[in-house]
PDB file of all heavy atoms in Angstrom:
ATOM      1  N   ILE A  14       7.421  -3.393  -4.986  1.00 75.00           N
ATOM      2  CA  ILE A  14       7.790  -3.503  -3.526  1.00 75.00           C
ATOM      3  C   ILE A  14       8.792  -4.674  -3.246  1.00 75.00           C
ATOM      4  O   ILE A  14       9.128  -4.948  -2.088  1.00 75.00           O
ATOM      5  CB  ILE A  14       6.611  -3.662  -2.603  1.00 75.00           C
ATOM      6  CG1 ILE A  14       5.710  -4.826  -3.004  1.00 75.00           C
ATOM      7  CG2 ILE A  14       5.725  -2.381  -2.633  1.00 75.00           C
ATOM      8  CD1 ILE A  14       4.483  -5.083  -2.076  1.00 75.00           C
ATOM      9  N   GLY A  15       9.259  -5.264  -4.291  1.00 74.00           N
ATOM     10  CA  GLY A  15      10.318  -6.260  -4.100  1.00 74.00           C
ATOM     11  C   GLY A  15       9.887  -7.634  -3.626  1.00 74.00           C
ATOM     12  O   GLY A  15      10.698  -8.426  -3.087  1.00 74.00           O
ATOM     13  N   ILE A  16       8.596  -7.912  -3.752  1.00 74.00           N
ATOM     14  CA  ILE A  16       8.175  -9.240  -3.284  1.00 74.00           C
ATOM     15  C   ILE A  16       8.197 -10.184  -4.556  1.00 74.00           C
ATOM     16  O   ILE A  16       7.633  -9.911  -5.602  1.00 74.00           O
ATOM     17  CB  ILE A  16       6.734  -9.205  -2.829  1.00 74.00           C
ATOM     18  CG1 ILE A  16       6.705  -8.484  -1.512  1.00 74.00           C
ATOM     19  CG2 ILE A  16       6.179 -10.597  -2.637  1.00 74.00           C
ATOM     20  CD1 ILE A  16       5.361  -8.273  -0.903  1.00 74.00           C
ATOM     21  N   HIS A  17       8.802 -11.338  -4.410  1.00 76.00           N
ATOM     22  CA  HIS A  17       8.885 -12.351  -5.439  1.00 76.00           C
ATOM     23  C   HIS A  17       8.255 -13.654  -4.988  1.00 76.00           C
ATOM     24  O   HIS A  17       8.699 -14.184  -3.942  1.00 76.00           O
ATOM     25  CB  HIS A  17      10.361 -12.615  -5.911  1.00 76.00           C
ATOM     26  CG  HIS A  17      11.027 -11.368  -6.325  1.00 76.00           C
ATOM     27  ND1 HIS A  17      10.742 -10.712  -7.492  1.00 76.00           N
ATOM     28  CD2 HIS A  17      11.963 -10.572  -5.765  1.00 76.00           C
ATOM     29  CE1 HIS A  17      11.511  -9.652  -7.665  1.00 76.00           C
ATOM     30  NE2 HIS A  17      12.246  -9.552  -6.596  1.00 76.00           N
ATOM     31  N   TYR A  18       7.180 -14.023  -5.649  1.00 77.00           N
ATOM     32  CA  TYR A  18       6.481 -15.240  -5.261  1.00 77.00           C
ATOM     33  C   TYR A  18       7.102 -16.447  -5.991  1.00 77.00           C
ATOM     34  O   TYR A  18       7.525 -16.334  -7.135  1.00 77.00           O
ATOM     35  CB  TYR A  18       5.020 -15.098  -5.636  1.00 77.00           C
ATOM     36  CG  TYR A  18       4.312 -14.052  -4.812  1.00 77.00           C
ATOM     37  CD1 TYR A  18       4.077 -12.795  -5.303  1.00 77.00           C
ATOM     38  CD2 TYR A  18       3.969 -14.324  -3.542  1.00 77.00           C
ATOM     39  CE1 TYR A  18       3.444 -11.819  -4.520  1.00 77.00           C
ATOM     40  CE2 TYR A  18       3.323 -13.380  -2.721  1.00 77.00           C
ATOM     41  CZ  TYR A  18       3.112 -12.135  -3.215  1.00 77.00           C
ATOM     42  OH  TYR A  18       2.464 -11.118  -2.507  1.00 77.00           O
ATOM     43  N   PRO A  19       7.021 -17.626  -5.389  1.00 83.00           N
ATOM     44  CA  PRO A  19       7.579 -18.828  -6.066  1.00 83.00           C
ATOM     45  C   PRO A  19       6.695 -19.146  -7.244  1.00 83.00           C
ATOM     46  O   PRO A  19       5.537 -18.761  -7.392  1.00 83.00           O
ATOM     47  CB  PRO A  19       7.453 -19.901  -4.942  1.00 83.00           C
ATOM     48  CG  PRO A  19       6.439 -19.375  -4.004  1.00 83.00           C
ATOM     49  CD  PRO A  19       6.497 -17.858  -4.019  1.00 83.00           C
ATOM     50  N   SER A  20       7.276 -19.891  -8.163  1.00 86.00           N
ATOM     51  CA  SER A  20       6.576 -20.280  -9.369  1.00 86.00           C
ATOM     52  C   SER A  20       5.383 -21.212  -8.937  1.00 86.00           C
ATOM     53  O   SER A  20       5.394 -21.879  -7.980  1.00 86.00           O
ATOM     54  CB  SER A  20       7.447 -20.970 -10.366  1.00 86.00           C
ATOM     55  OG  SER A  20       7.991 -22.162  -9.747  1.00 86.00           O
ATOM     56  N   VAL A  21       4.382 -21.263  -9.804  1.00 88.00           N
ATOM     57  CA  VAL A  21       3.189 -22.055  -9.606  1.00 88.00           C
ATOM     58  C   VAL A  21       3.542 -23.514  -9.832  1.00 88.00           C
ATOM     59  O   VAL A  21       4.171 -23.879 -10.793  1.00 88.00           O
ATOM     60  CB  VAL A  21       2.065 -21.631 -10.566  1.00 88.00           C
ATOM     61  CG1 VAL A  21       0.835 -22.553 -10.353  1.00 88.00           C
ATOM     62  CG2 VAL A  21       1.660 -20.143 -10.312  1.00 88.00           C
ATOM     63  N   ILE A  22       3.116 -24.352  -8.849  1.00 87.00           N
ATOM     64  CA  ILE A  22       3.354 -25.763  -8.895  1.00 87.00           C
ATOM     65  C   ILE A  22       2.214 -26.320  -9.755  1.00 87.00           C
ATOM     66  O   ILE A  22       1.015 -26.249  -9.357  1.00 87.00           O
ATOM     67  CB  ILE A  22       3.460 -26.432  -7.589  1.00 87.00           C
ATOM     68  CG1 ILE A  22       4.692 -25.856  -6.815  1.00 87.00           C
ATOM     69  CG2 ILE A  22       3.551 -27.942  -7.695  1.00 87.00           C
ATOM     70  CD1 ILE A  22       4.732 -26.293  -5.378  1.00 87.00           C
ATOM     71  N   LYS A  23       2.507 -27.027 -10.836  1.00 86.00           N
ATOM     72  CA  LYS A  23       1.430 -27.569 -11.648  1.00 86.00           C
ATOM     73  C   LYS A  23       1.160 -29.018 -11.406  1.00 86.00           C
ATOM     74  O   LYS A  23       0.161 -29.587 -11.785  1.00 86.00           O
ATOM     75  CB  LYS A  23       1.824 -27.408 -13.189  1.00 86.00           C
ATOM     76  CG  LYS A  23       1.824 -25.915 -13.544  1.00 86.00           C
ATOM     77  CD  LYS A  23       2.185 -25.751 -14.976  1.00 86.00           C
ATOM     78  CE  LYS A  23       2.248 -24.233 -15.251  1.00 86.00           C
ATOM     79  NZ  LYS A  23       2.551 -23.887 -16.571  1.00 86.00           N
ATOM     80  N   GLU A  24       2.052 -29.664 -10.646  1.00 87.00           N
ATOM     81  CA  GLU A  24       1.875 -31.046 -10.281  1.00 87.00           C
ATOM     82  C   GLU A  24       0.753 -31.185  -9.300  1.00 87.00           C
ATOM     83  O   GLU A  24       0.659 -30.400  -8.311  1.00 87.00           O
ATOM     84  CB  GLU A  24       3.143 -31.638  -9.706  1.00 87.00           C
ATOM     85  CG  GLU A  24       3.116 -33.015  -9.286  1.00 87.00           C
ATOM     86  CD  GLU A  24       4.448 -33.525  -8.666  1.00 87.00           C
ATOM     87  OE1 GLU A  24       5.478 -32.877  -8.968  1.00 87.00           O
ATOM     88  OE2 GLU A  24       4.351 -34.489  -7.895  1.00 87.00           O
ATOM     89  N   ARG A  25      -0.145 -32.220  -9.433  1.00 84.00           N
ATOM     90  CA  ARG A  25      -1.261 -32.354  -8.520  1.00 84.00           C
ATOM     91  C   ARG A  25      -0.910 -33.381  -7.479  1.00 84.00           C
ATOM     92  O   ARG A  25      -0.226 -34.365  -7.751  1.00 84.00           O
ATOM     93  CB  ARG A  25      -2.503 -32.816  -9.334  1.00 84.00           C
ATOM     94  CG  ARG A  25      -2.986 -31.765 -10.240  1.00 84.00           C
ATOM     95  CD  ARG A  25      -4.231 -32.271 -10.987  1.00 84.00           C
ATOM     96  NE  ARG A  25      -5.283 -32.745 -10.057  1.00 84.00           N
ATOM     97  CZ  ARG A  25      -6.340 -31.969  -9.698  1.00 84.00           C
ATOM     98  NH1 ARG A  25      -6.393 -30.740 -10.101  1.00 84.00           N
ATOM     99  NH2 ARG A  25      -7.223 -32.469  -8.822  1.00 84.00           N
ATOM    100  N   ALA A  26      -1.392 -33.216  -6.271  1.00 82.00           N
ATOM    101  CA  ALA A  26      -1.196 -34.180  -5.208  1.00 82.00           C
ATOM    102  C   ALA A  26      -2.018 -35.456  -5.461  1.00 82.00           C
ATOM    103  O   ALA A  26      -1.632 -36.519  -5.173  1.00 82.00           O
ATOM    104  CB  ALA A  26      -1.518 -33.550  -3.844  1.00 82.00           C
ATOM    105  N   LEU A  27      -3.180 -35.246  -6.039  1.00 81.00           N
ATOM    106  CA  LEU A  27      -4.070 -36.356  -6.361  1.00 81.00           C
ATOM    107  C   LEU A  27      -4.411 -36.286  -7.857  1.00 81.00           C
ATOM    108  O   LEU A  27      -4.713 -35.236  -8.363  1.00 81.00           O
ATOM    109  CB  LEU A  27      -5.358 -36.249  -5.572  1.00 81.00           C
ATOM    110  CG  LEU A  27      -5.241 -36.341  -4.043  1.00 81.00           C
ATOM    111  CD1 LEU A  27      -6.585 -36.073  -3.356  1.00 81.00           C
ATOM    112  CD2 LEU A  27      -4.709 -37.676  -3.639  1.00 81.00           C
ATOM    113  N   GLU A  28      -4.411 -37.446  -8.494  1.00 82.00           N
ATOM    114  CA  GLU A  28      -4.682 -37.468  -9.907  1.00 82.00           C
ATOM    115  C   GLU A  28      -6.165 -37.364 -10.254  1.00 82.00           C
ATOM    116  O   GLU A  28      -6.516 -36.878 -11.276  1.00 82.00           O
ATOM    117  CB  GLU A  28      -4.090 -38.726 -10.489  1.00 82.00           C
ATOM    118  CG  GLU A  28      -2.597 -38.794 -10.531  1.00 82.00           C
ATOM    119  CD  GLU A  28      -1.953 -37.546 -11.244  1.00 82.00           C
ATOM    120  OE1 GLU A  28      -2.422 -37.205 -12.298  1.00 82.00           O
ATOM    121  OE2 GLU A  28      -0.967 -36.961 -10.679  1.00 82.00           O
ATOM    122  N   LYS A  29      -7.032 -37.781  -9.306  1.00 81.00           N
ATOM    123  CA  LYS A  29      -8.405 -37.732  -9.616  1.00 81.00           C
ATOM    124  C   LYS A  29      -9.125 -36.518  -8.949  1.00 81.00           C
ATOM    125  O   LYS A  29      -8.605 -35.956  -7.981  1.00 81.00           O
ATOM    126  CB  LYS A  29      -9.120 -39.035  -9.135  1.00 81.00           C
ATOM    127  CG  LYS A  29      -9.153 -39.154  -7.610  1.00 81.00           C
ATOM    128  CD  LYS A  29      -9.915 -40.422  -7.329  1.00 81.00           C
ATOM    129  CE  LYS A  29     -10.088 -40.499  -5.753  1.00 81.00           C
ATOM    130  NZ  LYS A  29     -10.943 -41.621  -5.408  1.00 81.00           N
ATOM    131  N   LYS A  30     -10.170 -36.119  -9.547  1.00 82.00           N
ATOM    132  CA  LYS A  30     -10.975 -34.983  -8.997  1.00 82.00           C
ATOM    133  C   LYS A  30     -11.907 -35.594  -7.937  1.00 82.00           C
ATOM    134  O   LYS A  30     -12.563 -36.586  -8.164  1.00 82.00           O
ATOM    135  CB  LYS A  30     -11.791 -34.302 -10.085  1.00 82.00           C
ATOM    136  CG  LYS A  30     -12.461 -33.043  -9.671  1.00 82.00           C
ATOM    137  CD  LYS A  30     -13.018 -32.237 -10.837  1.00 82.00           C
ATOM    138  CE  LYS A  30     -13.592 -30.950 -10.304  1.00 82.00           C
ATOM    139  NZ  LYS A  30     -14.037 -30.172 -11.433  1.00 82.00           N
ATOM    140  N   LEU A  31     -11.939 -34.963  -6.761  1.00 80.00           N
ATOM    141  CA  LEU A  31     -12.813 -35.391  -5.739  1.00 80.00           C
ATOM    142  C   LEU A  31     -14.194 -34.922  -5.827  1.00 80.00           C
ATOM    143  O   LEU A  31     -14.483 -33.802  -6.275  1.00 80.00           O
ATOM    144  CB  LEU A  31     -12.267 -34.982  -4.363  1.00 80.00           C
ATOM    145  CG  LEU A  31     -10.858 -35.437  -4.004  1.00 80.00           C
ATOM    146  CD1 LEU A  31     -10.332 -34.831  -2.723  1.00 80.00           C
ATOM    147  CD2 LEU A  31     -10.798 -36.926  -3.967  1.00 80.00           C
TER     148      LEU A  31
END
Side-chain angles (χ1 to χ4, degrees):
I14 56 175
I16 293 179
H17 301 289
Y18 293 100
S20 60
V21 175
I22 298 171
K23 295 181 181 178
E24 180 182 339
R25 294 181 55 95
L27 300 172
E28 292 304 316
K29 67 178 186 174
K30 189 172 183 176
L31 300 175

